[in-house]
Amino acid sequence: MNKLDRVCLHTITTKPWAIETAARKFSAAGISGISVWREALADRDPVNVQKILDGEGLEVVSLVRGGFFPDTNAKKRKDAIDQNKRALEEAAALSAPLLVLVCGADPGQSLEDSRNQIHDGIAELIPMATDLGVKLGIEPLHPMYADTRSAVNTMKQANDMAEKTGSVQVGVVVDVDHLWWDPDLEKEIQRCAALDKLFAFHICDWNVPTRDFLFDREIMGKGCIPVSRIRKWVEEAGFNGYNEVEIFSNHYWQQDQVLHSL
Amino acid sequence: MNKLDRVCLHTITTKPWAIETAARKFSAAGISGISVWREALADRDPVNVQKILDGEGLEVVSLVRGGFFPDTNAKKRKDAIDQNKRALEEAAALSAPLLVLVCGADPGQSLEDSRNQIHDGIAELIPMATDLGVKLGIEPLHPMYADTRSAVNTMKQANDMAEKTGSVQVGVVVDVDHLWWDPDLEKEIQRCAALDKLFAFHICDWNVPTRDFLFDREIMGKGCIPVSRIRKWVEEAGFNGYNEVEIFSNHYWQQDQVLHSL
């Protein structure tokens, strides 16, 4: 097997490149998968983008991202649902089999209330997601984002929530950056795979020291996350999808975007 | 009960004040407890500092902090033990009944290895701590510090570790900043208290947004941590010690230090 066979890049990783450039460069580097951030679509017609990606031999792995369901304001929760429905339509137009969910949190209410609103939001999307053939992937986020970005902060919580929906359409996205510290990670990865809900695997590394709450991720092997070990857990549990490289980094974005490090 | 009866301030909270000033101001504000950071001692003789604090009617609640046991280098692990023994001597000289442990982590090894070294380090200190009558409090730190500051990142891990020592001298320090996101927090607080290991309770708030990995804590009530709710859990579990205000904040340190907000 070619070592790049199961490699996917997120457009955010090479954010300075327009998606047309990214598609050409990813393809030239021998990469076969792409996860598209909605920001990269801008005003483009996703059907046209899909044709470009297809022309470069790239498989669309996921659309990133939906979510942000919780809000103390009911009108804003409804707006979030509408926004997620648009994301589902875009995913279908792109032939993306998965919409990644950064679930959200509202610091004006308890984490339990936010989690209840996340559950309700996902439940409301399931019929449309099923019709369109797009799966919904709950991505648990690091507890450092529990204030505003996600009230789902461990693999166990994500598994519990996905299971509670009772839908095969809903599963979990494992991102090493968010979960590497979790003492129950291996066990919950196995549980997730046994539930047939391990939908995606995101990789990067944790910079030591990390200088920014969002945009200081590292390239695999340069930080302190045991990426290979977690990948082994995921693969031994039966996952055979892409290793998705998702690196947000002001440091790397300021440089020329090259793919030599893969 | 006076509302300040069980309030303790950490010297780090009013870092710009020398400890003599802090003692005078805390006392004048009606505060009865002080937790002393080793940095605040500088070259002072802790016996003299204890007299000053006692003269102001302040009870020393803890010395902060020992720990930082893990290192890939055995010589450095031994140095850490020596450093912790000096901290125990200082705690005894100050009449501090507790040494707070920020346990440490070395990004050059696995979290499990770091945790094993933390266990071994604490085990080595127990005889001296017992002789001196100083307790050892494991403070679980937020997972955002799992790279270099602590491989103990949940209340459950701290309880497990304290229990494993088999010593009444070793317990746990609950800090809302580190643990507020943890879905098992209430349950593990109850377990900790049932084990007679709930040694201390630290409060502050989580700033939204937080702008610095270390020095951007908020005053209680101004952030998103349910401090009153967690305090209720702790007190219902039987804890009747101090509410220790521990706020690291570049923002507040740059201002005049006042205690009006208490």
Side-chain angles (χ1 to χ4, degrees):
Chain A
M1 187 178 96
N2 183 299
K3 75 171 190 146
L4 292 181
D5 259 5
R6 309 307 298 169
V7 173
C8 162
L9 273 182
H10 281 234
T11 56
I12 194 84
T13 302
T14 57
K15 190 172 80 160
W17 283 343
I19 193 160
E20 296 81 3
T21 308
R24 204 171 62 243
K25 301 268 194 180
F26 290 8
S27 178
I31 289 162
S32 53
I34 185 168
S35 276
V36 178
W37 277 55
R38 296 186 74 197
E39 292 82 340
L41 292 176
D43 306 329
R44 295 169 179 82
D45 178 346
V47 173
N48 288 341
V49 172
Q50 196 279 330
K51 283 178 191 154
I52 293 168
L53 302 178
D54 192 55
E56 295 289 354
L58 289 166
E59 182 177 348
V60 180
V61 178
S62 65
L63 180 67
V64 188
R65 57 186 198 244
F68 289 101
F69 300 104
D71 204 295
T72 52
N73 180 304
K75 167 73 170 61
K76 290 193 178 168
R77 291 201 297 278
K78 194 183 166 307
D79 291 347
I81 297 290
D82 294 341
Q83 190 60 241
N84 276 283
K85 288 183 175 173
R86 280 196 289 281
L88 279 172
E89 284 164 1
E90 285 173 15
L94 275 172
S95 300
L98 173 68
L99 176 65
V100 174
L101 301 177
V102 170
C103 294
D106 186 326
Q109 64 189 11
S110 72
L111 291 169
E112 290 84 351
D113 285 347
S114 285
R115 283 193 283 270
N116 287 336
Q117 292 173 0
I118 292 165
H119 170 82
D120 293 348
I122 292 172
E124 201 162 334
L125 295 179
I126 290 173
M128 182 175 172
T130 306
D131 285 348
L132 293 172
V134 177
K135 297 204 172 192
L136 299 165
I138 299 168
E139 180 171 357
L141 255 56
H142 195 286
M144 66 198 267
Y145 303 121
D147 53 352
T148 58
R149 304 181 81 77
S150 185
V152 181
N153 306 109
T154 66
M155 189 72 190
K156 179 176 188 303
Q157 287 178 312
N159 283 340
D160 288 349
M161 186 170 284
E163 202 174 11
K164 189 177 166 196
T165 65
S167 168
V168 296
Q169 213 66 19
V170 183
V172 179
V173 174
V174 174
D175 184 317
V176 299
D177 192 67
H178 296 301
L179 301 170
W180 70 280
W181 59 272
D182 184 349
D184 293 329
L185 184 55
E186 183 179 10
K187 183 176 72 179
E188 291 293 333
I189 281 174
Q190 289 167 353
R191 174 182 164 214
C192 187
L195 290 167
D196 218 8
K197 290 189 176 297
L198 212 169
F199 285 179
F201 181 52
H202 294 182
I203 55 176
C204 69
D205 214 331
W206 181 278
N207 200 13
V208 182
T210 295
R211 299 154 297 189
D212 187 277
F213 265 74
L214 278 174
F215 304 127
D216 195 25
R217 292 187 173 195
E218 251 301 351
I219 292 171
M220 296 74 71
K222 293 192 165 191
C224 66
I225 299 179
V227 181
S228 302
R229 188 181 180 201
I230 299 174
R231 181 180 171 184
K232 192 162 169 279
W233 292 343
V234 164
E235 292 180 350
E236 284 178 354
F239 179 80
N240 61 3
Y242 281 88
N243 292 273
E244 302 186 43
V245 180
E246 186 190 37
I247 301 173
F248 321 136
S249 165
N250 286 325
H251 173 69
Y252 290 114
W253 288 335
Q254 281 159 14
Q255 301 177 21
D256 283 343
Q257 304 299 300
V258 287
L259 300 179
H260 61 72
S261 55
L262 286 166
Chain B
M1 188 176 97
N2 182 299
K3 76 172 192 145
L4 292 180
D5 259 5
R6 309 309 296 170
V7 173
C8 161
L9 273 182
H10 280 233
T11 56
I12 194 84
T13 301
T14 56
K15 189 172 82 160
W17 283 343
I19 193 161
E20 295 81 2
T21 308
R24 205 173 60 244
K25 301 267 194 180
F26 290 8
S27 178
I31 289 161
S32 53
I34 185 168
S35 276
V36 177
W37 278 56
R38 296 187 74 198
E39 292 81 341
L41 292 176
D43 308 331
R44 295 168 180 81
D45 178 345
V47 173
N48 289 340
V49 172
Q50 196 279 330
K51 283 178 191 156
I52 292 168
L53 302 178
D54 191 54
E56 296 289 355
L58 290 166
E59 183 177 350
V60 181
V61 177
S62 66
L63 179 68
V64 188
R65 56 186 200 243
F68 289 101
F69 299 104
D71 204 295
T72 52
N73 180 305
K75 168 71 169 62
K76 290 193 177 166
R77 292 201 296 279
K78 194 184 166 306
D79 291 346
I81 297 290
D82 294 342
Q83 190 59 239
N84 276 282
K85 288 183 174 174
R86 280 195 290 280
L88 279 173
E89 285 164 359
E90 285 172 15
L94 276 172
S95 300
L98 173 68
L99 176 65
V100 174
L101 301 176
V102 170
C103 294
D106 186 327
Q109 65 189 9
S110 73
L111 291 169
E112 290 83 353
D113 285 347
S114 285
R115 284 193 282 269
N116 287 335
Q117 292 172 0
I118 292 166
H119 170 83
D120 293 349
I122 292 173
E124 202 163 332
L125 295 179
I126 290 173
M128 182 173 171
T130 305
D131 286 348
L132 292 173
V134 177
K135 297 206 171 190
L136 298 165
I138 298 168
E139 180 171 356
L141 255 56
H142 196 286
M144 66 197 269
Y145 304 121
D147 53 352
T148 58
R149 304 181 81 79
S150 186
V152 180
N153 307 109
T154 65
M155 189 72 190
K156 179 176 187 304
Q157 288 179 310
N159 283 340
D160 288 349
M161 187 170 284
E163 202 174 11
K164 191 178 165 194
T165 65
S167 168
V168 295
Q169 213 67 18
V170 183
V172 178
V173 174
V174 174
D175 184 317
V176 298
D177 191 68
H178 296 302
L179 301 170
W180 70 278
W181 59 272
D182 183 350
D184 293 330
L185 184 57
E186 183 180 9
K187 183 176 72 179
E188 291 293 333
I189 281 174
Q190 289 166 354
R191 175 184 163 212
C192 187
L195 291 167
D196 217 7
K197 291 190 176 297
L198 211 170
F199 286 178
F201 181 52
H202 293 183
I203 55 176
C204 69
D205 215 330
W206 181 278
N207 200 12
V208 182
T210 295
R211 298 154 297 191
D212 187 278
F213 266 75
L214 278 174
F215 304 127
D216 195 25
R217 292 188 174 194
E218 251 303 349
I219 291 172
M220 296 75 70
K222 293 191 166 192
C224 66
I225 299 178
V227 181
S228 301
R229 187 180 179 200
I230 299 173
R231 180 180 172 185
K232 192 162 168 278
W233 293 343
V234 164
E235 292 181 349
E236 284 178 354
F239 179 79
N240 61 2
Y242 281 89
N243 292 273
E244 302 186 42
V245 180
E246 186 190 36
I247 300 172
F248 321 137
S249 164
N250 287 325
H251 173 69
Y252 290 114
W253 288 334
Q254 281 159 14
Q255 301 178 20
D256 282 342
Q257 303 300 298
V258 285
L259 301 180
H260 61 72
S261 54
L262 287 165

